[in-house]
Amino acid sequence: MGLSFIRTYQRLETFWFSLAPAWIYALCRIAFGLVSLLNLIFLYPHRYQFFSPTGLTDQDVVLRLIQNTPYYSIFYHIDSPSAVDGVFFIAIIASIGLIFGFLGRLCSIILFLWSMSYTSYAFTGMHSWDFLLRIYAFVLMISPLGSFYSLDRYSLQRFVPFVSYNRMVSHHGLLLLKVQLVIVYWQTLWLKLPDQYWRNGELISYFMMSMYSRFPSIEFAYWPIFSNIMTYGSLLLECFLPILLWKKRYRRIGIFLGCVFHLSIMATSHIVMFSLTTLIMYIAFLKEEDKDLLQQQYQRWKNRN
Amino acid sequence: MKSQDKIKKLIRVILTILLSVHLVIIVMQGLIPSKSTIMKKLSPWIYDYTLMTGCKQNWPMFTTIPLYHSHHVELEVVDSNKNTFRLGPSIPGLKKYNHSYLRYHTTFSRMRTNTYKLYMNAYMENAKRMIEQEHNIKVRSLTMIFAYEKLQKLYVIRRKKEMVKSHEIQIGPYTWD
């Protein structure tokens, strides 16, 4: 009994703390910083509408609704537009800090607090990517940030040359991101499957004529085969992408198909932020051999030219 | 074992347990339907944790067809002299409705549902105050007007060759003495 418990625990410990290349975390950190910054840039012109106490969201109502819940937001305590400016300024600086790996840990904590704050306050205007960014912020906060490609490493090595950095770090954060991808795809699939328009394959026709489409046109009503292929294709991808990505043999096919899927959504719809945010999770599926392969390809290309 | 190693080992054990509990919670909250009996029993335990860590999640993305081809929102104001005019709904500033930024559509669409009635009531009070300050008038009533181009069913589009049907919804009037 005791021995089997210890073995189970050891398996669990290996499951969480196996090693992964630190550059993968660094890529996640940079990608998250970039997408957070982009989200902030889009939000910035509308900051008073969504976050000032005299904006679309009434502060008193929010405070009444969140009573006895563990929601927290800096915007609950803000009483002027200039304070909103201050919060945005700090969040923008933290995003830039994360991109360049400057005080990475502090920046990740600030971005987590920022994500909690803005999603808990202007709840009526939030989209799926906001919640996904909030989850990433939490994961990044508890992960090794990856000293690769960071000013922290550069500056410390300059002043303390004997400091060494681990090339391999615990993969628990990447594991959480991988599981997150499964949850997003499979939960949305579960919710879509009972719907008649997903089932009869008409959904994409409606989507492409709607306000979300980049090229809304009546022509899509006359392309039922196209709609069927795209609708069922989306469902198939949402069902099988997590399996492909987790299977070592099909991982690269999964990454390729997922990127094509989300880049197509970006190209044909106005929901750019969601695709960009989702693609961050794909970075967690990269392996050391992918870097080697890219380096080889680059070398070959360089030699040829 | 040195005491330093013992502390390291202990930290590792604690982290393993915490990460495992976290994983079980997010998988359960993410993949087991919230209306199931299991989740109804467990949600009081899980709910607060997922709120505090920001990991509460729900992904109902396009679970059915989008309804609209275009959308527009305005505020119809009646002042104490019974003059009627329309203003943009974005406060502060009473700016025109911004079609290109999806968050406005989401905000106003949610606010007109019963779930967010409190938000709408407070919004109307704030908008009234702002209109009175900026236009130096006394507001008697406010109505929010949603003008949509609603997508028709595919068989109707194919038969009539008309993609949309204009549609207007009024919220209010909210009146003051």
Side-chain angles (χ1 to χ4, degrees):
Chain A
M1 172 76 182
L3 203 65
S4 69
F5 176 77
I6 290 169
R7 268 193 206 137
T8 311
Y9 169 76
Q10 275 170 345
R11 263 187 223 137
L12 208 56
E13 197 180 286
T14 317
F15 173 74
W16 284 114
F17 298 114
S18 292
L19 297 177
W23 61 265
I24 301 177
Y25 277 110
L27 283 189
C28 286
R29 188 199 76 224
I30 294 167
F32 173 69
L34 282 169
V35 176
S36 287
L37 184 64
L38 201 63
N39 193 35
L40 276 157
I41 290 169
F42 287 143
L43 256 175
Y44 190 78
H46 314 282
R47 64 197 180 283
Y48 300 139
Q49 276 73 33
F50 288 103
F51 302 106
S52 80
T54 52
L56 296 170
T57 311
D58 186 80
Q59 201 178 44
D60 292 336
V61 172
V62 179
L63 288 174
R64 213 183 315 158
L65 291 174
I66 54 119
Q67 265 180 357
N68 304 322
T69 64
Y71 277 117
Y72 54 92
S73 167
I74 183 77
F75 294 110
Y76 300 156
H77 315 288
I78 268 176
D79 56 1
S80 72
S82 53
V84 176
D85 289 343
V87 174
F88 266 76
F89 178 74
I90 293 168
I92 288 170
I93 295 293
S95 300
I96 295 169
L98 212 57
I99 295 167
F100 291 102
F102 179 67
L103 300 176
R105 182 68 58 203
L106 177 67
C107 290
S108 73
I109 293 169
I110 292 172
L111 280 183
F112 173 69
L113 293 174
W114 154 252
S115 301
M116 289 298 290
S117 292
Y118 88 93
T119 52
S120 306
Y121 188 79
F123 188 76
T124 48
M126 291 302 115
H127 287 265
S128 50
W129 68 81
D130 297 301
F131 302 113
L132 209 47
L133 284 174
R134 191 172 73 183
I135 292 167
Y136 292 164
F138 175 77
V139 173
L140 219 61
M141 197 174 63
I142 59 164
S143 299
L145 285 176
S147 53
F148 278 77
Y149 323 127
S150 78
L151 280 179
D152 282 347
R153 177 177 176 160
Y154 173 76
S155 50
L156 199 64
Q157 271 183 341
R158 205 170 160 198
F159 297 111
V160 197
F162 53 82
V163 169
S164 65
Y165 285 94
N166 292 334
R167 291 179 61 83
M168 303 295 279
V169 287
S170 157
H171 80 157
H172 64 273
L174 300 176
L175 208 53
L176 287 174
L177 287 181
K178 289 178 185 177
V179 172
Q180 189 54 53
L181 182 134
V182 180
I183 294 172
V184 173
Y185 283 143
W186 283 357
Q187 195 199 88
T188 192
L189 181 72
W190 174 270
L191 296 169
K192 281 170 184 172
L193 280 177
D195 181 68
Q196 58 162 319
Y197 298 100
W198 279 102
R199 287 191 168 215
N200 67 17
E202 286 180 350
L203 192 124
I204 292 296
S205 284
Y206 286 102
F207 182 86
M208 292 307 288
M209 292 188 290
S210 77
M211 51 181 259
Y212 298 103
S213 169
R214 214 175 269 280
F215 321 101
S217 162
I218 194 169
E219 289 304 314
F220 289 106
Y222 301 99
W223 295 353
I225 304 283
F226 168 79
S227 179
N228 274 204
I229 292 170
M230 299 313 261
T231 306
Y232 297 137
S234 305
L235 292 176
L236 280 173
L237 282 174
E238 280 171 348
C239 179
F240 291 109
L241 271 176
I243 299 168
L244 292 176
L245 286 162
W246 276 85
K247 280 269 177 199
K248 202 178 170 188
R249 200 170 158 194
Y250 305 113
R251 187 181 53 87
R252 279 190 187 148
I253 299 171
I255 292 174
F256 174 74
L257 288 176
C259 290
V260 170
F261 179 43
H262 286 288
L263 292 175
S264 321
I265 295 173
M266 271 165 74
T268 54
S269 78
H270 294 297
I271 320 161
V272 176
M273 280 305 294
F274 174 70
S275 285
L276 280 178
T277 312
T278 311
L279 284 172
I280 296 174
M281 289 184 286
Y282 282 79
I283 298 172
F285 289 92
L286 292 175
K287 297 250 186 264
E288 188 67 35
E289 56 258 35
D290 298 320
K291 194 180 167 191
D292 298 340
L293 185 79
L294 277 177
Q295 274 172 345
Q296 278 170 17
Q297 296 285 348
Y298 174 69
Q299 205 59 42
R300 213 174 290 168
W301 175 81
K302 217 173 145 185
N303 293 341
R304 215 181 296 156
N305 292 290
Chain B
M1 211 188 245
K2 286 180 192 169
S3 63
Q4 216 174 9
D5 290 342
K6 272 185 187 168
I7 293 169
K8 268 187 185 171
K9 182 74 195 161
L10 183 70
I11 291 172
R12 220 175 155 87
V13 171
I14 293 169
L15 284 177
T16 304
I17 294 166
L18 288 178
L19 283 168
S20 305
V21 171
H22 177 78
L23 184 71
V24 170
I25 288 175
I26 61 160
V27 170
M28 287 181 79
Q29 199 262 314
L31 292 180
I32 303 177
S34 58
K35 285 176 184 165
S36 64
T37 313
I38 304 172
M39 282 312 281
K40 274 182 192 163
K41 293 234 164 123
L42 289 174
S43 61
W45 300 79
I46 289 174
Y47 190 68
D48 282 0
Y49 175 79
T50 52
L51 281 186
M52 276 190 288
T53 52
C55 294
K56 187 173 182 297
Q57 48 192 309
N58 197 17
W59 309 110
M61 297 169 291
F62 296 103
T63 48
T64 190
I65 52 169
L67 296 175
Y68 304 111
H69 174 70
S70 73
H71 54 104
H72 187 69
V73 183
E74 278 183 326
L75 274 180
E76 191 173 84
V77 187
V78 179
D79 69 10
S80 52
N81 298 325
K82 294 191 179 169
N83 297 318
T84 306
F85 58 99
R86 288 189 178 192
L87 290 170
S90 297
I91 58 170
L94 297 158
K95 288 180 190 162
K96 276 187 181 172
Y97 183 70
N98 187 331
H99 300 88
S100 59
Y101 198 51
L102 273 180
R103 290 191 199 276
Y104 286 105
H105 169 70
T106 319
T107 300
F108 286 110
S109 302
R110 281 183 182 154
M111 266 176 22
R112 75 178 164 88
T113 61
N114 265 339
T115 319
Y116 294 94
K117 208 176 165 85
L118 274 177
Y119 281 86
M120 181 59 100
N121 295 346
Y123 165 83
M124 285 297 194
E125 289 291 341
N126 289 340
K128 174 195 173 258
R129 208 164 33 242
M130 225 156 270
I131 295 165
E132 287 181 342
Q133 274 171 11
E134 290 190 15
H135 292 260
N136 212 12
I137 54 165
K138 185 117 182 73
V139 173
R140 203 165 180 190
S141 80
L142 276 180
T143 308
M144 188 174 275
I145 298 175
F146 290 83
Y148 288 112
E149 280 185 316
K150 197 171 183 181
L151 288 169
Q152 306 210 73
K153 293 280 175 265
L154 282 183
Y155 67 89
V156 179
I157 298 174
R158 286 172 193 147
R159 202 177 59 219
K160 293 186 176 174
K161 299 199 184 315
E162 275 177 14
M163 185 164 66
V164 295
K165 200 173 182 184
S166 295
H167 196 64
E168 204 174 272
I169 301 166
Q170 295 193 355
I171 304 292
Y174 284 69
T175 53
W176 294 269
D177 295 328

